[in-house]
Amino acid sequence: MSTITTTDDLAAFCMRAAAAPYVTVDTEFLRERTYYSKLCLVQLAIPGDDPSNAVLVDPLADGLDLGPLYELFRDHGTVKVFHAARQDLEIFAIEGDVIPEPLFDTQVAAMVCGFGEQVGYETLARKIARAQIDKSSRFTDWSRRPLLDSQKRYALADVTHLRDIYEHLSAELDRTQRRAWVEEEMAVLRDPATYRTEPADAWKRLKMRNPTPRFVAIAQRLASFRETYAQSNDVPRSRVFKDDALLELASLKPRDPKDLGKARLLLREGRRDPVAAGILQAVEGGLAVPKEDLPSLPQPKSRDQSNAALADLLRVLLKAMSERAGVASKLIATASDLDDIAAGARDGIWSKGWRAKVFGRDALRLCNGEIALACEGNAVRVVPLGETVTDG
């Protein structure tokens, strides 16, 4: 099991990878005690059974520069293959300011090819590569050195079997002419904004129930302070203070350290400077917002109960269309999307691109009374109004 610990060796492998049609990629990282993921290992594999075609890259090795890897990521001649790529891509977007191109995510491709909702790597390895993954090293400290042989075998398996998975799914996409469907899904993963959390937008993560505008103004500033502090000090936002403490503070509106002491949910770390000072400053900023400038949460979409039957019909239609297409239904539309359509929405991700062809157009036709649904044995089919429905 080859482990790369020098920049020259990494450059040599990346040169080989640049001549290959694809390279499979995975990472091991830690994030329990930091805001940003700590990259501990990179796994790479190119086609072929030669043991030298699969390597581990140790980013913790003294003097190792990942520059050659980032150059490979920018090389459009080699497809970069990941499984459930988002967390891996976030690391490279932040540490290397690079998002691999071209990009292929086997989890997304598997959903398009009928393997179900967010199918795991172990399932695909078993079904496609006929391999069993040893999970014993999954929850391990990847920052400790030296790595055990069991850890290395586990890490390499994440990219060696991925070669078979990619080749199978790629061929299936060509056979079904659905490669463009996966490309549509890659747009979000290729967008650098996907991996940035702006402090000013951090409040949108909060679950606030019918708050007052003043409450929202304070919560916005508390969330912005917490995000800025967490990013600057590379600590998890929950280590600054948790969401429930933030919402309690927005309700209490503490003006001084004595008021801060009344917060039941604020842990000891949050009562010390500079966090305590930041909390009081954020509250003061929220209280100072003029009444006419106060924010408010968007009003929830009205979902008339009279549309419940239509929502149920849309669920039947979605299930039928997803099964017919062999695509995971949640990739087409969510339960919330169906409720929105039943309540009058006529635009959404479900109404664009390949989703419109598979489901969206028929969903709108159903809402407009242009089609009906009929059972034929165990199947459901779309019936244009005016067509005679015969017994199945």
Side-chain angles (χ1 to χ4, degrees):
M1 290 175 285
S2 177
T3 302
I4 290 176
T5 58
T6 69
T7 305
D8 287 345
D9 286 346
L10 177 59
F13 183 84
C14 289
M15 185 176 298
R16 291 179 59 204
Y22 68 85
V23 57
T24 56
V25 189
D26 191 35
T27 68
E28 306 296 343
F29 55 87
L30 295 179
R31 198 173 188 170
E32 288 79 9
R33 297 182 295 275
T34 58
Y35 182 91
Y36 299 106
S37 296
K38 179 182 180 181
L39 182 61
C40 299
L41 198 68
V42 181
Q43 303 98 282
L44 303 169
I46 56 177
D49 295 330
D50 191 308
S52 67
N53 287 359
V55 298
L56 304 175
V57 181
D58 187 356
L60 303 183
D62 289 341
L64 179 69
D65 183 352
L66 291 178
L69 178 63
Y70 298 148
E71 286 305 308
L72 174 63
F73 284 170
R74 295 185 182 95
D75 186 337
H76 284 241
T78 303
V79 178
K80 289 76 182 181
V81 181
F82 294 77
H83 181 81
R86 184 164 181 149
Q87 286 186 304
D88 301 315
L89 297 179
E90 180 182 1
I91 294 172
F92 297 129
I94 292 172
E95 291 204 2
D97 192 27
V98 60
I99 296 175
E101 286 275 11
L103 178 64
F104 189 99
D105 189 325
T106 56
Q107 186 177 73
V108 175
M111 287 193 283
V112 169
C113 292
F115 282 87
E117 314 285 353
Q118 297 182 325
V119 61
Y121 178 72
E122 291 85 359
T123 299
L124 292 180
R126 185 178 67 254
K127 291 185 175 181
I128 295 175
R130 300 292 186 265
Q132 293 292 331
I133 304 297
D134 179 4
K135 303 178 183 179
S136 60
S137 296
R138 171 179 290 181
F139 302 107
T140 188
D141 185 350
W142 291 99
S143 67
R144 296 187 65 178
R145 295 294 184 272
L147 292 173
L148 302 175
D149 285 346
S150 59
Q151 290 176 296
K152 293 180 180 181
R153 284 192 295 270
Y154 171 86
L156 277 177
D158 282 346
V159 288
T160 52
H161 301 310
L162 192 55
R163 295 177 296 196
D164 294 330
I165 294 169
Y166 166 68
E167 291 179 5
H168 175 89
L169 294 175
S170 183
E172 183 66 10
L173 292 174
D174 288 338
R175 184 187 70 80
T176 58
Q177 298 183 334
R178 292 180 179 179
R179 187 172 294 276
W181 295 18
V182 174
E183 280 302 307
E184 283 187 39
E185 302 309 300
M186 293 299 99
V188 173
L189 292 177
R190 287 195 296 263
D191 184 355
T194 300
Y195 310 103
R196 292 195 301 266
T197 300
E198 300 295 341
D201 296 328
W203 68 276
K204 296 176 181 178
R205 295 173 175 265
L206 300 173
K207 295 180 180 179
M208 295 186 281
R209 298 180 178 178
N210 302 320
T212 64
R214 185 66 65 187
F215 179 100
V216 176
I218 296 172
Q220 285 179 338
R221 282 155 181 78
L222 285 169
S224 178
F225 160 71
R226 180 178 67 170
E227 204 73 20
T228 300
Y229 184 91
Q231 291 177 352
S232 299
N233 293 275
D234 195 19
V235 296
R237 63 176 67 88
S238 62
R239 286 274 298 275
V240 186
F241 46 83
K242 298 182 184 295
D243 285 358
D244 56 359
L246 187 155
L247 298 176
E248 181 189 38
L249 291 167
S251 179
L252 287 174
K253 307 178 185 62
R255 305 296 296 271
D256 54 41
K258 183 178 179 181
D259 288 342
L260 204 59
K262 300 174 184 177
R264 295 182 303 104
L265 302 176
L266 187 65
L267 300 180
R268 181 170 54 188
E269 291 81 359
R271 301 177 189 275
R272 299 171 177 169
D273 281 341
V275 175
I279 289 172
L280 295 176
Q281 184 176 7
V283 171
E284 182 180 357
L287 291 171
V289 176
K291 186 175 181 180
E292 61 272 16
D293 294 333
L294 286 173
S296 61
L297 291 180
Q299 291 298 313
K301 296 177 182 177
S302 174
R303 289 175 176 162
D304 193 331
Q305 291 301 314
S306 66
N307 288 322
L310 177 55
D312 288 340
L313 285 175
L314 287 165
R315 286 172 173 79
V316 173
L317 176 65
L318 176 60
K319 187 174 188 298
M321 296 298 100
S322 64
E323 289 179 352
R324 179 179 300 176
V327 181
S329 61
K330 287 185 180 178
L331 190 62
I332 301 172
T334 65
S336 180
D337 289 332
L338 300 182
D339 290 336
D340 289 343
I341 299 170
R346 294 296 177 263
D347 184 60
I349 190 171
W350 50 269
S351 67
K352 299 177 176 63
W354 66 268
R355 291 178 175 85
K357 298 177 183 177
V358 172
F359 168 75
R361 294 173 185 170
D362 281 336
L364 294 179
R365 292 171 66 202
L366 183 65
C367 293
N368 294 335
E370 298 171 9
I371 62 173
L373 303 180
C375 290
E376 290 187 347
N378 294 326
V380 173
R381 72 180 181 94
V382 170
V383 181
L385 288 187
E387 178 181 317
T388 301
V389 180
T390 59
D391 291 338

